[in-house]
Structures are given as C-alpha cells and as structure tokens.
C-alpha cells in the first residue's frame, strides 16, 4: 500500500467518517451532514482507498467499524472538536457583535435587498457593518474560495446546475445555497419608443438595437443563448456592467435592454420607462445566496444567511413593479 500523502488528502473525508461513526448509519449521517447518501458512500470509498482499510462494513440496517476505524475515531473526533473550538470559540450575539460582512451582488439585487437588510441590522445588530462589492461574474465560486466575500447573491443558473449534478453523482460539494426570491427579466424601453405601442414580436425584438448588461463585459448573455436556441440573434451595440446605468441610457435613447422587472420600480425609473414581456420563453429567474461550505457552522454566518432570507421575504419587490404599457 502507498503511504498516505497528507498534502493531497481531503480533510472533508474525516468529517464524513466522524458522522458515520457517530450514527452507524449512512442515511442518518447524510442528513446530519446535509449531503446525499451517495455522496457519503463516495467519501467513505475514497477514505478506504486512501487508508487501505475497509473501515466500515454493513451490518443489518447500519454499519459496523473495523478495528482500524475504532482505533482511528477518537483521534479524528478530538482533532475536529479542537479545530472547531479554535475557529469558532463562541456563539455570535448580534446585539453585541461588531463583525463586518462582505456581500457580492449586482446593483439590481442590492437595490431590492439592502434596504430591508439594513433595517434588520439597525434593529438587531447595530454594531455589525456590511461591505457590498460588485458581482462581476455569473460564477462566484472563486470569490468564495478566496474569502473575498461571505455571501454571493445573484442569478447563477450554470453554477446551481453544476452543483446539483455533482451532488447527484455522489461527489462532495464545497458550496451551499438558499433561495432568496424568484423574479423575471423583461424588455425595457423609453416612453414613446417606436416599439412601445405595438406588440413586441420576436422579429421586432431581434431587429432592434440592444444594450446588454454584462458583469464580465462579454457581449453575449443568457438572452442571446435563448435566441441562439431559436436560430435567432440580436444586435448588441452597447455593453455596460450595471443595471442602473442601462436604465438611464435606455431612458434617453432608442435602445432596448433587458432588466429584472422589480428593478424598474425600485430604481425610480418607473416614470421614464415601460416594459414588455420578452417574446421568447425563459426559465424562472432564481436569485440564490451562495456560500462556501466551510462557513455552514459559523454562528455569525448563519445569522447573516437568515437575515438575507428575511430581507428577500420583506422586500416583496418582484410583485410591486410597474405594469406593462398596453398596446392598441
């Protein structure tokens, strides 16, 4: 057997081992860890391969440890407990905490969530401060890996699909998420725009000149992906990285843009813009908060996640935006 290479050894496997040893049942261990049972089984297989021992064998409805597992468990449990105590020595008390949290989100998301979030902070955690940084990507995992943000909040369809596929295949997933709200994107134009008084057909939409909001600066987004699937394309003549900037430009030009429906109302653009439903089907926009799994037991981070969920529920913005202009 090859000696264990500790430099490349995945320490998350020890947490799975500890949970299974405690529960002696893969299903209950999976529930404790918030993992799927295949993910737990896969982790145990990797640990067996690394240590060269079966470790746990099936027995009735559960599992029983081998002598090697029984000898190993006390050291693993003590090490995990000591590490947790060192990293999280006390519970987070929002009333007395002076913690600073970093949130990554787009301006449209912040316009809806930050006002109710600040109300919660002022009432429950007056010493806590927030720093909101621009979200410059649809995949914020590297941002979370680098600890440049505590939470990333936004529309991450490709990331969420990838994480779901990894979990379903039995792999350990390093990130967790929670749904904050569901929204939709709409086509936005100025009052008096030539297309404001006629039905917005796919042909008219594609023939118009467009402004694209792109976090990365790439002049191709999920709207263009949807059009490509239909064998169509549009002409993007301007790309910006903020929704508010897009709204201001469209209000004084004949460009069309696509914005979150709620944002037109909360950004005080209601009197300058009209919106129309997009002329092609799009999936529901799920706005999620994403964080690194290593923060799941941090009591301050748990409070932040709960406050963010409450902010999403209180805002109600997806249901209170302006109504579309009718055509005659």
């Amino acid at each position: 057997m090859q000696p264990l290479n500790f430099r490349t050894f995945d320490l998350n496997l020890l947490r799975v081992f500890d949970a299974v040893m405690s529960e002696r049942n893969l299903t209950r261990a999976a529930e404790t860890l918030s993992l799927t049972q295949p993910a737990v089984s896969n982790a145990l297989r990797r640990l067996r391969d690394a240590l060269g021992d079966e470790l746990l064998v099936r027995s009735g409805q559960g599992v029983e440890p081998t002598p090697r597992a029984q000898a190993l468990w006390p050291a693993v449990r003590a090490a995990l407990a000591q590490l947790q105590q060192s990293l999280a020595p006390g519970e987070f008390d929002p009333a007395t905490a002076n913690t600073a949290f970093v949130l990554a989100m787009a301006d449209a998301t912040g316009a809806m969530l930050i006002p109710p979030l600040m109300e919660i902070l002022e009432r429950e955690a007056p010493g806590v401060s927030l720093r909101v940084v621009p979200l410059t990507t649809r995949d914020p995992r590297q941002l979370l890996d680098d600890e440049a943000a505590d939470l990333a909040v936004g529309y991450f369809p490709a990331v969420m699909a990838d994480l779901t596929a990894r979990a379903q295949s039995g792999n350990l997933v390093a990130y967790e998420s929670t749904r904050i709200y569901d929204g939709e994107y709409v086509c936005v134009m100025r009052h008096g725009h030539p297309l404001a008084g006629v039905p917005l057909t796919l042909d008219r939409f594609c023939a118009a000149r467009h402004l694209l909001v792109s976090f990365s600066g790439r002049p191709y987004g999920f709207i263009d992906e949807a059009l490509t699937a239909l064998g169509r394309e549009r002409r993007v003549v301007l790309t910006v990285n903020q929704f508010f900037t897009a709204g201001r430009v469209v209000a004084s030009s004949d460009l069309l843009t696509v914005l979150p429906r709620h944002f037109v109302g909360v950004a005080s653009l209601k009197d300058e813009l009209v919106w129309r439903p997009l002329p092609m089907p799009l999936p529901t926009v799920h706005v999620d908060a994403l964080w690194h799994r290593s923060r799941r037991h941090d009591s301050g981070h748990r409070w932040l996640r709960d406050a963010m969920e409450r902010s999403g529920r209180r805002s109600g913005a997806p249901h209170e935006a302006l109504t579309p202009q009718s055509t005659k």
Side-chain angles (χ1 to χ4, degrees):
M1 183 185 80
Q2 293 290 331
L4 176 65
N5 185 346
F6 198 76
R7 291 179 58 189
T8 59
F9 181 72
D10 186 352
L11 296 178
N12 283 316
L13 301 180
L14 298 180
R15 294 184 59 248
V16 175
F17 172 71
D18 176 60
V20 176
M21 288 292 291
S22 297
E23 299 290 347
R24 303 297 168 92
N25 181 280
L26 298 188
T27 300
R28 291 197 298 269
E31 293 173 351
T32 299
L33 294 165
S34 298
L35 294 173
T36 63
Q37 185 171 326
V40 171
S41 298
N42 184 57
L44 290 177
R45 177 188 57 75
R46 293 172 57 199
L47 186 60
R48 288 195 298 265
D49 293 342
L51 299 181
D53 188 272
E54 193 65 19
L55 295 177
L56 294 139
V57 294
R58 292 193 177 276
S59 176
Q61 298 298 314
V63 292
E64 289 294 330
T66 65
R68 175 78 185 281
Q70 290 176 324
L72 183 63
W73 189 34
V76 169
R77 166 148 284 203
L80 291 174
Q82 183 176 357
L83 184 60
Q84 181 174 353
Q85 184 177 5
S86 298
L87 296 177
E91 283 296 307
F92 175 84
D93 180 4
T96 60
N98 58 2
T99 307
F101 294 111
V102 180
L103 308 176
M105 62 179 69
D107 60 328
T109 309
M112 189 181 84
L113 294 177
I114 296 303
L117 183 60
M118 286 308 302
E119 291 180 7
I120 294 174
L121 261 66
E122 290 174 352
R123 183 176 60 256
E124 300 179 13
V128 169
S129 59
L130 296 179
R131 184 161 62 93
V132 181
V133 299
L135 188 65
T136 59
T137 175
R138 289 289 184 190
D139 187 349
R141 286 176 286 189
Q142 189 63 51
L143 194 69
L144 300 173
D145 288 344
D146 295 341
E147 298 183 352
D150 297 292
L151 278 180
V153 184
Y155 178 44
F156 311 126
V159 173
M160 302 310 296
D162 180 58
L163 297 181
T164 299
R166 289 172 183 267
Q168 290 176 344
S169 65
N171 293 317
L172 288 173
V173 177
Y175 310 91
E176 296 182 342
S177 66
T178 188
R179 181 65 38 79
I180 302 301
Y181 65 86
D182 288 339
E184 65 173 315
Y185 279 82
V186 294
C187 180
V188 176
M189 65 195 76
R190 66 172 176 84
H191 279 285
H193 189 285
L195 295 180
V198 297
L200 184 62
T201 64
L202 186 58
D203 286 340
R204 288 170 175 159
F205 181 83
C206 292
R209 290 156 51 90
H210 291 262
L211 183 160
L212 168 66
V213 179
S214 172
F215 299 153
S216 66
R218 189 169 69 105
Y220 187 88
F222 67 92
I223 295 296
D224 303 284
E225 293 173 353
L227 290 174
T228 298
L230 298 174
R232 305 296 296 270
E233 62 181 359
R234 61 175 176 166
R235 184 185 177 197
V236 174
V237 300
L238 176 63
T239 300
V240 300
N241 64 359
Q242 291 184 326
F243 290 105
F244 183 78
T245 300
R248 297 306 308 164
V249 172
V250 168
S252 59
S253 73
D254 277 343
L255 298 180
L256 303 184
T257 193
V258 175
L259 299 178
R261 179 164 68 92
H262 76 270
F263 181 66
V264 183
V266 300
S268 301
L269 297 171
K270 180 176 180 179
D271 295 332
E272 301 180 60
L273 301 173
V274 294
W275 68 263
R276 305 296 302 281
L278 287 164
M280 82 287 285
L282 287 179
T284 300
V285 176
H286 300 303
V287 175
D288 297 301
L290 190 70
W291 64 91
H292 199 279
R293 187 178 180 82
S294 61
R295 306 298 302 277
R296 66 181 308 209
H297 295 299
D298 182 308
S299 57
H301 202 274
R302 287 201 305 269
W303 178 86
L304 175 65
R305 300 190 308 255
D306 176 72
M308 184 62 70
E309 289 186 71
R310 285 185 283 153
S311 297
R313 293 194 296 269
R314 291 182 183 186
S315 65
H319 308 292
E320 297 176 358
L322 72 169
T323 56
Q325 176 175 310
S326 61
T327 58
K328 298 181 181 179

